[in-house]
Amino acid sequence: MGKKIKKEVEPPPKDVFDPLMIESKKAATVVLMLRSPEEEILAKACEAIYKFALKGEENKVTLLELGAVEPLTKLLTHEDKIVRRNATMIFGILTSNNDVKKLLRELDVMNSVIAQLAPEEEVVIHEFASLCLANMSAEYTSKVQIFEHGGLEPLIRLLSSPDPDVKKNSMECIYNLVQDFQCRTTLQELNAIPPILELLKSEYPVIQLLALKTLGVITNDKESRTMLRDNQGLDHLIKILETKELNDLHIEALAVIANCLEDMDTMVQIQQTGGLKKLLSFAENSTIPDIQKNAAKAITKAAYDPENRKLFHEQEVEKCLVALLGSENDGTKIAASQAISAMCENSGSKDFFNNQGIPQLIQLLKSDNEEVREAAALALANLTTCNPANANAAAEADGIDPLINVLSSKRDGAIANAATVLTNMAMQEPLRLNIQNHDIMHAIISPLRSANTVVQSKAALAVAATACDVEARTELRNCGGLEPLVELLRSKNDEVRKHASWAVMVCAGDELTANELCRLGALDILEEVNLSGTRRNKFSEAAYNKLLNNNLSLKYSQTGYLSSSNIINDGFYDYGRINPGTKLLPLKELCLQEPSDLRAVLLINSKSDVSPPSSMEDKSDVGYGRSISSSSSLRRSSKEKTNAGFGSPIEDKSEPASGRNTVVSKSATKEKGWRKGRGKKEEEKVKEEEEVMVVPKFVGEGSSDKEWCPPSDPDFSMYVYEVTKSILPITNIKEQIEVLAKYVAEKMGGKITKEKIPDFSWELHISELKFQLKSNVIPIGHVKKGIFYHRALLFKALADRIGIGCSLVRGEYGRAWNEVMLQNESRKGVIGGLPAPEVYVVDLMFHPGGLMKLRSREADLYRFL
């Protein structure tokens, strides 16, 4: 036998690395292994990193700093399923860190993550890939990336996954995505409503809650509401509300129902199935404040539709809302008040709240919570708008005082709503007087100064509604309310400007307030506003005209027209025509100017007193030193005379005749002495007396408070006395006009033919008066040679004193005339067979006392003048 030979072991190939078992204790080392080409090492490294990241946020930050994210993203597409699974698990954990999410967005790995949602992948991969997307979808940029890479469709498919974690993560991601409108539209196209409704049956509350939240978002769109209704989604929601064990879902379920109730078809369906009654009963009887609040919000949303309001009213929703007003929770009170506001559009509901609801809302105005007060004020504002009965109910519930207190609230909405309620109440005179007694004028000043345009607008409207009598306007003036009101006229907001103009128009109803408004610049501001094509409105024009009616001098200079209701009083002066935007100088400045070649200013002043009352204040544009009480009484008597056709002015008859005769004789003596050229001493005496009467005086000589008064006009005082005595008793209005016209012509130089006008020398006469008076201002009684505009002014001034209604119209080239309304006995009117009134022009020049009927205004006036 041969000898056995031992077989030699072949050595390993030289190019093969011997296996090496390494135990690493550093994360940095494992991160380096992520770049290994060996699948087993990659899988083990990923597993180790997953466990490390799961321990806390600090470890996630460490991995980010070590640069683990970028190599991990490449492993998402690795061929080995285990490596791919482990890498996906890591990203599911790491994406809870914001810095990691930011880096992933930059690396654009969304497509790789979405690919892990493929049906053939393991459930574990689905779980962590969906978790990664859920974390990423919290950021808007990531939402866009997920949507653009088609992530919505696989997420919806995963809602049917058998794994609850996959369902939860997918639902959370979808909820984040549907915050965007475009995603909601795509969701409808992918028919996502049925699988979401199925999740309502899940045994996991977190999944049910996410499903309800998602439905609450997508049902803001009508198409989604229709799909929900078609898939019997309302039945699922009502069942949730009926199940007490699911009370943690009731709030979200109510939010979805609130959206669905906005559709009329859904409203009808839920009513027919008895769901609406269940909903109201649930809201009223629930003991959870948030549920009551959301139920009231659901009613509010639905009540914006008129048909829904009708159905709610039939179901007596008002009782439920009144009950909710009594809740101890402020949020519920606010929601119930807002629901009442929405239901106020239904007249039946409005009437119901008259007895039940308004008293409770008044009590809420006293709450310490500003939001509660605002919501209650809003409800009351809607309840009292165009409803006097509810306005009365609010007053009977002692609502005026708390409403006025709300005007000092810190919330602009509360102030605006309270002002609206007070405005609605002030439409009735008894309530307006009651409001005025509660010091409304002081309380409204702060809202007038508000920076909020809605508050400004409502406050100005409240002033317009409450300042309807002299006492209220006086109080507003005395407490400084006119100044902020005038400032609102400058507002760039159309509504504020309109309501401020309205309030100014109301406040200009009495002379003192109108004068103060003018002093504060209201007239100038309104003039500027009315010159603008965009800022002008009907109210600004009306307010301007109302103020002009209390400043007739300016009105006549600007418009060239005074109506029969514009009564000329002492202190009126005719400066002549001025252009819009030109400021009319006050009478005091005009009187103190030296004579010039400018047109003479004609002054009306029947007061013969040399010194004005010591209490009279100097006014810049109006007042002119006359007695307000005397002016007011003259105006009242003239208006009474105008209304009656004729009558006796109380003020003129009450003055003793002897006093007037004394003035007349003195004036006549002076005039006679001046013309005949008496002796030098007597002439100087007469001149001295005349200067005493016509030169502007300062009273209180030697004191610091010097008062100015306009030149007196004893001749005009005599005219007033004579026409009152001789023309006023005439019972025929036409005869009164004719006699007065002849009287005026006689005092102004008599009858003049057209041919003799150039020889009338009236200009020389006016120049002499300027020289004598050392002023451009000439009292009308001094003019003895007057033409058209002198005579027309005198006729109007005297006619106003005895109650003859006539207008004063300025023409061109020194023309002016008076128009009167007379009834034509030959023609019968339509109503009651009364004679039809017609317009006539009074002749004061060519045939004094003649009356010409106006047919074609331009042609007739041209022929007449």
Side-chain angles (χ1 to χ4, degrees), residues 4-24:
K4 289 185 179 179
I5 300 172
K6 188 177 179 181
K7 189 176 181 180
E8 295 181 1
V9 179
E10 295 183 7
K14 294 181 180 181
D15 59 347
V16 175
F17 187 81
D18 294 335
L20 178 66
M21 302 299 295
I22 298 177
E23 184 176 330
S24 176

Side-chain angles (χ1 to χ4, degrees), residues 574-578 584-585 589-590 593-602 762-763 766-771 775-778 789-790:
D574 176 14
Y575 179 82
R577 189 191 306 276
I578 62 173
L584 178 65
L585 293 177
E589 289 187 29
L590 293 172
Q593 288 178 352
E594 293 294 324
S596 67
D597 56 354
L598 296 176
R599 178 190 184 279
V601 179
L602 301 177
W762 65 272
E763 296 98 331
I766 297 298
S767 298
E768 290 175 349
L769 288 175
K770 286 183 181 181
F771 178 75
S775 173
N776 273 349
V777 178
I778 301 176
Y789 73 90
H790 303 101

Side-chain angles (χ1 to χ4, degrees), residues 347-361:
S347 58
S349 298
K350 220 170 192 178
D351 295 338
F352 177 91
F353 291 121
N354 180 275
N355 297 319
Q356 301 180 53
I358 288 181
Q360 290 89 331
L361 290 168

Side-chain angles (χ1 to χ4, degrees), residues 444-449 480-489 500 520:
I444 204 68
I445 294 177
S446 178
L448 286 174
R449 298 183 187 276
L482 295 181
E483 185 176 355
L485 183 62
V486 170
E487 283 302 311
L488 294 184
L489 295 174
L520 293 171

